[in-house]
């Protein structure tokens, strides 16, 4: 519901309880730190967000855990912090860590793997590495085609990402084809006046 101050209050209560009841390296404490990091990111309190993500990593390090989906999620979340700070190379570093962990810990067609592939792709695109960006966006769309219904909005988002990338590199026919796929999916899955649908038509 985007009520981030209330979320922060409740997550802090949960953390207070867990800090009293659990060992300092308990995985539930890591979950609390991650949740707090997410809310501080939404509030644009990026220094605090980074502080909590580093506490997550410390717990997993103490537990000698090097690959876990929740650890990968925290790396992805920290990458989003660096992205907001326009620290693109640092963001890419953490996105790639998250991607590598997800490849080890998740099934090859897991939707969460598609999300991180898109994040890595967008990060490469920001740094002007269009070939690598395309590889990751295409991987994301392949996963989503196999894992999701063909009218799922996330599949439309993948087509939209690839369309923007093709447009950037001057392959306008491929860009048009991809945006047409995105528009077709959104027309099936969204109300006629939805802003995402309007934006997609404008991009065309």
């Amino acid at each position: 519901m985007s009520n981030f101050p209330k979320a922060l209050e409740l997550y802090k209560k949960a953390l207070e309880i867990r800090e009293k009841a659990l060992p300092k390296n308990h995985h539930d404490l890591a979950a609390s730190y991650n949740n707090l990091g997410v809310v501080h990111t939404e509030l644009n309190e990026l220094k605090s967000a980074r502080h909590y993500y580093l506490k997550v990593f410390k717990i997993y390090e103490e537990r000698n855990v090097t690959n876990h989906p929740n650890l990968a999620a925290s790396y992805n979340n920290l990458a989003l912090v660096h992205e907001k700070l326009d620290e693109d190379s640092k963001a890419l570093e953490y996105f790639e860590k998250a991607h590598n962990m997800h490849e080890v810990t998740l099934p090859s067609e897991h939707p969460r793997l598609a999300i991180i592939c898109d994040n890595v792709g967008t990060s490469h695109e920001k740094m002007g590495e269009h070939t690598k960006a395309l590889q990751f966006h295409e991987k994301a769309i392949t996963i989503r085609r196999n894992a999701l219904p063909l009218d799922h909005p996330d599949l439309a988002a993948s087509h939209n990402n690839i369309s923007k990338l093709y447009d950037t590199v001057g392959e306008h026919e491929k860009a048009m084809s991809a945006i047409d796929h995105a528009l077709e999916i959104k027309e099936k899955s969204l109300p006629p006046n939805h802003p995402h649908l309007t934006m997609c038509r404008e991009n065309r």
Side-chain angles (χ1 to χ4, degrees):
M1 296 172 69
S2 298
N3 188 350
F4 300 116
K6 188 64 178 177
L8 190 62
E9 176 191 335
L10 294 170
Y11 281 142
K12 282 184 175 178
K13 275 189 179 179
L15 175 61
E16 188 178 330
I17 294 165
R18 285 171 169 164
E19 284 181 332
K20 289 177 180 176
L22 300 172
K24 289 184 177 180
N25 66 347
H26 196 280
H27 59 85
D28 283 352
L29 274 171
S32 278
Y33 294 141
N34 181 74
N35 291 340
L36 285 161
V38 170
V39 177
H40 279 294
T41 303
E42 292 290 349
L43 292 169
N44 216 35
E45 296 167 352
L46 303 179
K47 186 176 179 180
S48 294
R50 186 174 183 275
H51 166 77
Y52 282 114
Y53 292 133
L54 292 178
K55 288 173 85 72
V56 173
F57 304 146
K58 185 178 179 182
I59 287 176
Y60 279 103
E61 185 180 341
E62 288 178 358
R63 294 172 64 88
N64 202 28
V65 176
T66 55
N67 282 312
H68 192 280
N70 292 346
L71 178 58
S74 291
Y75 274 120
N76 180 74
N77 293 341
L78 181 57
L80 294 172
V81 169
H82 285 290
E83 194 173 63
K84 281 188 169 225
L85 291 166
D86 293 323
E87 296 173 350
D88 294 333
S89 61
K90 202 70 180 172
L92 178 58
E93 176 188 339
Y94 286 117
F95 279 138
E96 287 181 331
K97 281 188 176 185
H99 172 260
N100 292 340
M101 283 188 197
H102 277 328
E103 285 218 307
V104 172
T105 59
L106 295 176
S108 60
E109 294 179 359
H110 197 288
R112 200 188 295 180
L113 184 56
I115 292 170
I116 191 60
C117 284
D118 263 343
N119 288 346
V120 174
T122 300
S123 199
H124 277 298
E125 188 176 353
K126 277 183 160 186
M127 296 179 71
E129 298 166 349
H130 298 122
T131 301
K132 286 184 179 179
L134 186 60
Q135 288 171 354
F136 280 97
H137 285 316
E138 286 180 338
K139 185 175 177 181
I141 205 169
T142 299
I143 293 168
R144 285 175 170 148
R145 278 176 179 153
N146 291 327
L148 300 173
L150 293 179
D151 61 350
H152 196 283
D154 285 355
L155 193 55
S158 276
H159 284 296
N160 195 56
N161 287 336
I162 286 179
S163 171
K164 287 191 289 186
L165 187 54
Y166 276 134
D167 192 52
T168 299
V169 299
E171 298 200 34
H172 303 301
E173 193 171 324
K174 288 182 179 179
M176 183 68 75
S177 175
I179 203 68
D180 283 345
H181 282 302
L183 183 58
E184 183 181 348
I185 293 167
K186 288 180 180 181
E187 284 176 338
K188 291 177 182 176
S189 60
L190 297 174
N193 60 345
H194 195 282
H196 288 178
L197 190 54
T198 304
M199 190 184 305
C200 194
R201 287 177 179 139
E202 289 173 354
N203 288 343
R204 194 179 186 284

